Amino acid sequence: MPRLTTTVPREYVHRSALSEVFLTGCSRLAENRFCLTGQWPRAHSYFSPSARHHDLLQVAETMRQAGLFLAHTEYGVPLGHRFTSWDVSLTVPPGRLAIGPVPTELELDVVCSDLVDHGEGALEAVLEFILSRGSEPLATGYLRFSTAASVPAAGTPSMPPVSRSVSAAAFPELFGRTSPHDVVLTEAAAGAWRLAPDPSHPVLSDDGGPVAHLVALEAARQATHALFTPARSDLLITEITCAFVRQPDPLRPCWIDATVLPVPGSGPLTAQVTARQDGRVVWESHVHGDITPGLRQGTRAWGSVPP
């Protein structure tokens, strides 16, 4: 009989829809080294902003799913525990995410280190990734996370919806998106963006609400796009990192500030994107990429962050 292929159980990767599960299997190579397999579809409602290339953040979501799967199946973290990312980075050389005539079959070489087991499913770990298609490396990545039992406080209100401004809804291309539903930034005050993810977004949220590091990476990417005109077709992001100082409070406004270093012309660029709540840094991201000749820095002002 031929070997049949299916996805891993969706519960292990904290996804409600089978169509959002990218992993198909796992084998142990050494005590803390694993080979996971996966598949990316040729078209995706969120992760395929280009008709010819997979989305950079599809790498981040695949890494997240791998971390969740290993935590539950290999390290004894019970289903229902909270998964918190603290540091995440990914690098994709130009041209590696091209979409072919068939779905992209993946292999993930994952090494787990700095493991700390606090008991009762509370785990700390660092995962290093190499994603490959056949013999071709596609991307590398790093993820530091912790887990803990989910015990919501009694009477805690759900995350309130944050209204998006007319400008954000009317011009999603400003943020490198084609649908206003995917925009996570809204201009709530002069010179500052307010972070406003849709808590029911089918990709940026899972069954526990918005996924903090996916939202942060998307916010950093959108803020980088918003710094420039024309739109995203002239901006190629090849590396993105995010480090959390603390976890964001979903009930408090979160403000996004971005700066390009150095002053862009043509060629490589680095953008520093920072999220603040109550004047304190929540996370900081660095976005690296390339811009084509003739790209102008956007005229949108980035002033002081509201209190």
Side-chain angles (χ1 to χ4, degrees), residues 72-207:
H72 289 310
T73 63
E74 301 291 340
Y75 294 107
V77 176
L79 292 173
H81 270 45
R82 184 173 70 254
F83 180 90
T84 302
S85 299
W86 293 102
D87 295 287
V88 59
S89 68
L90 53 108
T91 302
V92 179
R96 295 297 176 88
L97 298 185
I99 297 174
V102 296
T104 298
E105 300 287 345
L106 300 170
E107 285 193 359
L108 291 80
D109 189 330
V110 185
V111 176
C112 305
S113 62
D114 297 338
L115 292 159
V116 180
D117 187 349
H118 296 285
E120 299 183 353
L123 176 74
E124 298 178 28
V126 169
L127 274 59
E128 296 180 81
F129 299 84
I130 299 176
L131 280 72
S132 303
R133 172 170 43 191
S135 60
E136 177 190 23
L138 295 182
T140 57
Y142 172 97
L143 177 65
R144 181 172 70 92
F145 69 91
S146 62
T147 66
S150 295
V151 185
T156 299
S158 60
M159 183 177 182
V162 178
S163 61
R164 290 171 170 80
S165 68
V166 174
S167 61
F171 303 106
E173 294 81 7
L174 173 68
F175 304 98
R177 305 301 309 186
T178 57
S179 169
H181 180 58
D182 297 330
V183 176
V184 300
L185 302 179
T186 181
E187 193 171 20
W193 297 109
R194 182 174 178 178
L195 187 63
D198 183 346
S200 63
H201 193 283
V203 174
L204 295 179
S205 296
D206 59 21
D207 53 4

Side-chain angles (χ1 to χ4, degrees), residues 184-185 191-196 216 219-220 223 254-258 273-276 283 302-303 305-306:
V184 300
L185 302 179
W193 297 109
R194 182 174 178 178
L195 187 63
C254 188
W255 302 99
I256 306 298
D257 187 21
V273 183
T274 305
R276 294 181 175 88
W283 52 259
W302 291 74
V305 178

Side-chain angles (χ1 to χ4, degrees), residues 259-284:
T259 305
V260 174
L261 304 171
V263 176
S266 62
L269 68 86
T270 298
Q272 178 177 300
V273 183
T274 305
R276 294 181 175 88
Q277 284 185 322
D278 301 318
R280 303 170 66 195
V281 174
V282 177
W283 52 259
E284 186 171 272

